[in-house]
Each structure stands twice: as C-alpha cells, then as structure tokens.
Amino acid sequence: MGRESDSRLHDDGDHVPSLFELFTFVVLVRWKHLCLVAAVAFVLGYFATFLITPVYEAEIVLLVSLDDSAPSGLSGDLGSLGALTGISLQGSSQRQQEAVALLTSNDVAIQFVNDHSLLPELFPVRWKLNGGSWGDDGPPSEREVADAFHEAMLHVRVEQDSGMIFVSSAAPTPEATVSRVRSYVQLVDSRLRERTISESADTLEVLGGELRNATTVELRAAISNLMESTIREKTFASIKREYAYKIIDRPLLPSRGEPARPKRLFTAIASVLSFTSFAVFIFAWTHRRRLLPQA
C-alpha cells in the first residue's frame, strides 16, 4: 500500500506535495499506526492522572445575617445621637460590606494557613526540593502565601442580585475540603464576632462618659437608648452560633473517584491529541524525504 501510494505521488514528476497532501497521505497510509498511538496515548494519559495528587473541592453558600443579629432600633438610635452630638457611627450596610470583604482578606488567609500548617501544601515543589524544609531562602513571604491561598486553595464569589456568597475550598481529600471550607467560614465569623464585642465594649465606655456629662433630657435619653441597643448587640454576638453568616447550603462531600483536578477524561483526550499530532508530523517528515523529487 505504501509503495503504491509513493509511486502515485512520484508520477507527477517534479510536483512537490503540499502539507495537506502530505498529511492526507500519512493518514491514509499510516492509519493503523496512528490508531495504535492514539490508543496507547489514551491509556497512558488516563492512568498517569493516578500519579498526580488529586484535588477535591467543596462549596458552601452563605448569606450575611448581620441585619438579623443587630437590634432593630439601633439605626434609629444612631440617627438620634448623631443629630444631637455629631457623633458618626457605622451602620449595618457598612458591616455587611465588611463581612463580605473579610472573606477575601489576606490577613485571614495568612492566619488560616498558619493555623492549619498549609505551607507545604501550597508550595509542594519548593518544600520537596529542599528535603522537607525551606532551604536558605526561608519560607515564602506573606504576599506569596496570600496569593497562593486565594489562587489555589480558596475562592469566593458573590451574586450581586441575590447577595448569596459562594465559598469553595480545595484539598487533597474529600473530607479535608469539607472541613476546610467550614473552618474558614468559622474563622471569619469569629473575627467579626470578636470585633463586634470589642467595639461594643469601647462604645459602652464612651457612651457611659457622655451620659455622665449630658445636660439635657433628650441627649440622656438618646445615649441611654443607644447603650441599651449596644448591650443587646454585644449579647447577640456572644451567644449566637452563626453570627455574621447564615448557611444556606452546606458543603457536600465530593466523591473520592471524581476529583476536581486532574480531570481524567480531559487529560486522556489531551494526551491522544498531543501524541497523535506528534506521530503525524514524524510520519509526514519521513515520507516527505521519500516523496520529494530527486534532482
């Protein structure tokens, strides 16, 4: 078959075959070899994914619930006190924005990595090349840690219309990724809780001094109402289990046989395309030298 095809191309005299003619000729002549290459590449590509550390992902869906935990009369008291004293205090909308922004905070990311000893997982090549240490250069910088964490380990997406927050985490086991995304949300929630309790205590101290110096009945009433609201808010923060976030959808345990990365079928198909293309070029180069007109 190959010799007959070669002779047909040579019959044209000095005709130099185009790339299309050459590749078509290779596919017609070497199709059995190409099928074999494709089959071997598929098997190798598929089973090679078992040598790569799998990465599983889990996602939790949240809503900011600070409005629910804040006392209903707080905003009115803030307005009254602001009108009487000129004091400017944060409202719930600012606290909602803070609750969303803190989920992507670099400071929280660094604390979470340190608390769970995740540096070797974030920088596996650098860790292994130095024999289980960081070598002479030392550990990665805080900027490197925060960037790697947000790029490879945790992603936050906010739907502007519904206000729902989607937090997904990545880990080498299904159990670890579920535990990790829960722990991360709990860390951010506890930070907001502690900040609210601390700010409430400071606010009560300031308001207590203002109340002692107040000279009008209206001002004393406004300060007293705000102190009562602040005490209620501090109490809510202390006792409420889910303070800043309400869980809409819990993270589901991924299947151990279907990691998020690597994609076994995708990797196998990519291997087929790569190896087959390489084989076509090799065969085409071999036949090109045979089919070029001789001087």
Side-chain angles (χ1 to χ4, degrees):
M1 173 68 180
R3 292 181 179 177
E4 294 177 359
S5 300
D6 290 356
S7 63
R8 283 198 298 268
L9 286 179
H10 279 304
D11 288 342
D12 294 335
D14 293 336
H15 171 70
V16 178
S18 65
L19 287 177
F20 177 77
E21 292 174 333
L22 191 57
F23 288 148
T24 303
F25 172 77
V26 168
V27 171
L28 292 175
V29 173
R30 297 284 191 169
W31 67 271
K32 292 183 180 180
H33 298 86
L34 293 177
C35 289
L36 179 61
V37 169
V40 173
F42 184 90
V43 173
L44 291 178
Y46 186 85
F47 285 99
T49 58
F50 289 93
L51 302 177
I52 303 173
T53 301
V55 175
Y56 299 88
E57 291 184 353
E59 184 178 73
I60 189 171
V61 184
L62 309 169
L63 274 178
V64 177
S65 60
L66 285 177
D67 280 345
D68 297 332
S69 61
S72 59
L74 182 59
S75 58
D77 296 330
L78 286 172
S80 299
L81 186 62
L84 291 171
T85 66
I87 297 177
S88 177
L89 297 174
Q90 285 188 336
S92 60
S93 61
Q94 291 174 299
R95 293 168 61 208
Q96 283 185 327
Q97 294 173 5
E98 181 185 14
V100 175
L102 201 60
L103 286 169
T104 59
S105 166
N106 291 332
D107 189 45
V108 175
I110 293 170
Q111 179 184 345
F112 187 81
V113 169
N114 292 333
D115 290 347
H116 295 268
S117 303
L118 298 176
L119 275 182
E121 185 179 333
L122 279 176
F123 302 91
V125 176
R126 186 170 169 182
W127 176 258
K128 292 177 181 178
L129 286 179
N130 289 285
S133 67
W134 297 114
D136 297 334
D137 295 335
S141 66
E142 290 187 341
R143 168 56 60 187
E144 290 178 305
V145 172
D147 290 344
F149 180 79
H150 290 303
E151 180 179 350
M153 195 165 286
L154 186 120
H155 298 92
V156 178
R157 179 172 59 88
V158 181
E159 278 192 355
Q160 298 298 332
D161 295 337
S162 63
M164 289 193 296
I165 307 170
F166 300 83
V167 183
S168 62
S169 68
T173 65
E175 296 78 11
T177 187
V178 171
S179 173
R180 187 168 295 176
V181 72
R182 286 184 178 274
S183 299
Y184 187 81
V185 173
Q186 290 171 0
L187 173 61
V188 180
D189 191 80
S190 65
R191 276 209 171 194
L192 288 167
R193 182 197 312 275
E194 292 168 2
R195 183 175 299 180
T196 297
I197 293 174
S198 175
E199 290 178 351
S200 296
D202 293 340
T203 300
L204 288 173
E205 183 178 353
V206 173
L207 292 177
E210 294 292 334
L211 182 62
R212 289 190 294 271
N213 297 327
T215 57
T216 64
V217 176
E218 293 83 358
L219 181 57
R220 292 179 64 86
I223 294 175
S224 297
N225 289 337
L226 183 56
M227 290 182 68
E228 181 181 352
S229 299
T230 304
I231 292 172
R232 289 204 304 269
E233 182 181 9
K234 183 180 178 181
T235 303
F236 270 111
S238 301
I239 65 176
K240 194 170 183 182
R241 183 177 179 182
E242 296 176 4
Y243 169 63
Y245 307 100
K246 181 178 181 180
I247 297 178
I248 303 301
D249 200 2
R250 64 180 178 84
L252 301 178
L253 188 69
S255 170
R256 187 169 291 274
E258 297 180 0
R261 298 187 302 273
K263 297 290 187 181
R264 293 196 169 96
L265 184 58
F266 174 82
T267 304
I269 294 175
S271 299
V272 169
L273 295 176
S274 300
F275 280 89
T276 304
S277 299
F278 182 73
V280 168
F281 275 102
I282 293 297
F283 291 147
W285 177 259
T286 302
H287 285 286
R288 178 179 177 275
R289 298 182 61 181
R290 294 167 54 189
L291 300 177
L292 282 176
Q294 302 299 319

